[in-house]
Amino acid sequence: MPIASPEAYAEMLDRAKAGRYAYPAINVTSSQTLNAALKGFADAESDGIIQVSTGGAEYLSGPSVKDMVTGAVAFAAYAHEVAKKYPVNIALHTDHCPKDKLDKFVRPLMTISQERVKAGQEPLFQSHMWDGSAVPVAENLEIAEQLLTEAAKGKIVLEIEVGVVGGEEDGVENAINDKLYTTVDDGLAMVDALGLGEKGRYMAALTFGNVHGVYKPGNVKLRPEVLKQIQDAVGAKYGKDKPLSLVFHGGSGSLLSEIREALDYGVVKMNIDTDTQYTFTRPVADHMFRNYDGVLKVDGEVGNKKMYDPRVWGKAAEAGMAARVVEACEHLRSTGTTMK
């Protein structure tokens, strides 16, 4: 199937919320990690979301270019082509974009999609994230409202973050403290500014103790009930059941029971990056340690081309990451739910 159309993406998100499951949103940084994610979704018979961060996009543009828009456009072009061969729907998304990078990343990409839509084509990306967690809530929502207007013109879903995710990602670091919990008042203010779809479609990353980075299960103090409290408050005010489509960030140290509880409260997308990075790299390390005298020219020998051929260890890396994507689909209950 091709990359999901705006209509197909909307249906994916609606089905997920109604079915109490979520799509893994897999961060990628290369054609190899993209291919691994695609294989994982196909193996799980799950639709999915593949995303690129500002750092990932810069990396994709090449070490001598370091241009986020160039890298993102190149990634999307490759993804649009190779995804056609897989029997699942895939949405493309850009991950955390702070205020100082909006004009160098999200806004130019939105303009590209708007121009494509005007020409009768589909948007380049299906959704973009504005990360306003580092600015006051009022400013966060003011910028979000402006971006939502632009996103709607390009048939794009906007993702916003109201609250703070702890830990570090792409050089942005936040302390682990009480600010990690979005309040009911913040949720109501968000809907007051952005509506419930009439101004454009959006997803909300409400924080409930989430932390980016590497943590053992149980070390992250999540309170999924925060999501329910906000859903209930917004639903009571507007007369709707679970009106918000929510996003789960920083889930590496989460218990499965906590993940599943968050799904019950309206989470439709969960970001996965740290775990897939490891499962991509781990088989490469194994290959290098086991075949050191083949990948290196030791003691004047010539090595073994079959061992240092990037396709050999690259296939192992992709297989390892694809397996983790399958596991993520199982955890998030999306296995077997593809809209074939």
Side-chain angles (χ1 to χ4, degrees):
M1 297 180 182
I3 293 294
S5 66
E7 295 76 19
Y9 191 29
E11 184 178 352
M12 282 170 57
L13 299 177
D14 289 341
R15 284 165 56 107
K17 186 160 65 169
R20 297 191 173 191
Y21 62 88
Y23 298 106
I26 308 299
N27 280 71
V28 301
T29 54
S30 65
S31 60
Q32 285 185 303
T33 49
L34 169 63
N35 287 333
L38 288 170
K39 184 179 187 304
F41 284 124
D43 289 348
E45 297 183 350
S46 170
D47 300 326
I49 299 169
I50 296 178
Q51 60 190 23
V52 61
S53 66
T54 55
E58 181 182 277
Y59 180 80
L60 280 158
S61 74
S64 62
V65 177
K66 294 185 178 181
D67 181 79
M68 293 180 289
V69 172
T70 297
V73 170
F75 153 74
Y78 185 84
H80 274 266
E81 193 60 36
V82 296
K84 295 176 184 177
K85 301 295 183 180
Y86 290 86
V88 290
N89 294 284
I90 299 295
L92 302 182
H93 176 79
T94 61
D95 200 9
H96 292 268
C97 181
K99 182 181 177 180
D100 64 340
K101 293 182 180 178
L102 282 174
D103 289 340
K104 297 179 285 186
F105 190 54
V106 164
R107 287 193 174 110
L109 291 174
M110 281 189 175
T111 298
I112 290 171
S113 285
Q114 290 170 355
E115 292 172 352
R116 287 170 61 98
V117 168
K118 286 180 183 178
Q121 301 174 312
E122 303 288 8
L124 189 64
F125 283 84
Q126 285 62 59
S127 51
H128 294 292
M129 184 192 175
W130 148 235
D131 183 354
S133 61
V135 302
V137 172
E139 182 182 0
N140 181 355
L141 295 178
E142 181 181 355
I143 294 172
E145 190 171 9
Q146 296 167 359
L147 291 171
L148 186 60
T149 298
E150 295 305 309
K153 293 177 183 177
K155 297 183 178 182
I156 297 161
V157 176
L158 181 68
E159 180 185 330
I160 69 167
E161 183 170 309
V162 180
V164 176
V165 175
E168 186 274 334
E169 181 174 61
D170 260 1
V172 178
E173 187 168 356
N174 292 308
I176 299 173
N177 54 36
D178 288 343
K179 293 182 179 180
L180 305 186
Y181 303 94
T182 307
T183 67
V184 169
D185 286 344
D186 290 340
L188 290 169
M190 175 186 73
V191 177
D192 185 55
L194 304 182
L196 288 174
E198 66 275 11
K199 297 182 180 181
R201 183 153 191 161
Y202 68 94
M203 298 180 283
L206 305 181
T207 58
F208 52 104
N210 319 55
V211 179
H212 288 133
V214 184
Y215 298 89
K216 292 182 179 180
N219 283 6
V220 176
K221 306 304 180 185
L222 294 180
R223 291 171 48 205
E225 66 271 16
V226 168
L227 303 181
K228 185 179 189 303
Q229 291 165 4
I230 296 172
Q231 286 278 30
D232 289 349
V234 174
K237 182 175 180 177
Y238 293 92
K240 295 185 178 182
D241 179 47
K242 281 198 307 187
L244 302 174
S245 295
L246 303 179
V247 181
F248 188 158
H249 289 196
S252 293
S254 307
L255 300 173
L256 182 57
S257 59
E258 295 169 332
I259 293 172
R260 294 278 173 82
E261 185 179 355
L263 302 184
D264 292 339
Y265 300 149
V267 166
V268 298
K269 172 180 180 281
M270 179 174 174
N271 289 9
I272 299 177
D273 186 16
T274 302
D275 290 354
T276 46
Q277 286 180 348
Y278 180 77
T279 54
F280 183 86
T281 301
R282 178 65 179 80
V284 179
D286 180 74
H287 177 86
M288 299 304 172
F289 282 128
R290 289 179 180 273
N291 301 285
Y292 75 95
D293 55 347
V295 298
L296 300 176
K297 297 181 179 181
V298 179
D299 295 332
E301 296 298 327
V302 296
N304 184 342
K305 184 179 183 300
K306 292 182 179 180
M307 292 296 104
Y308 59 75
D309 184 337
R311 291 169 295 182
V312 175
W313 49 264
K315 288 177 182 177
E318 290 179 33
M321 180 172 163
R324 181 61 182 86
V325 174
V326 170
E327 181 182 43
C329 292
E330 294 171 353
H331 288 174
L332 300 183
R333 302 176 180 150
S334 71
T335 301
T337 63
T338 183
M339 302 188 305
K340 293 181 179 178

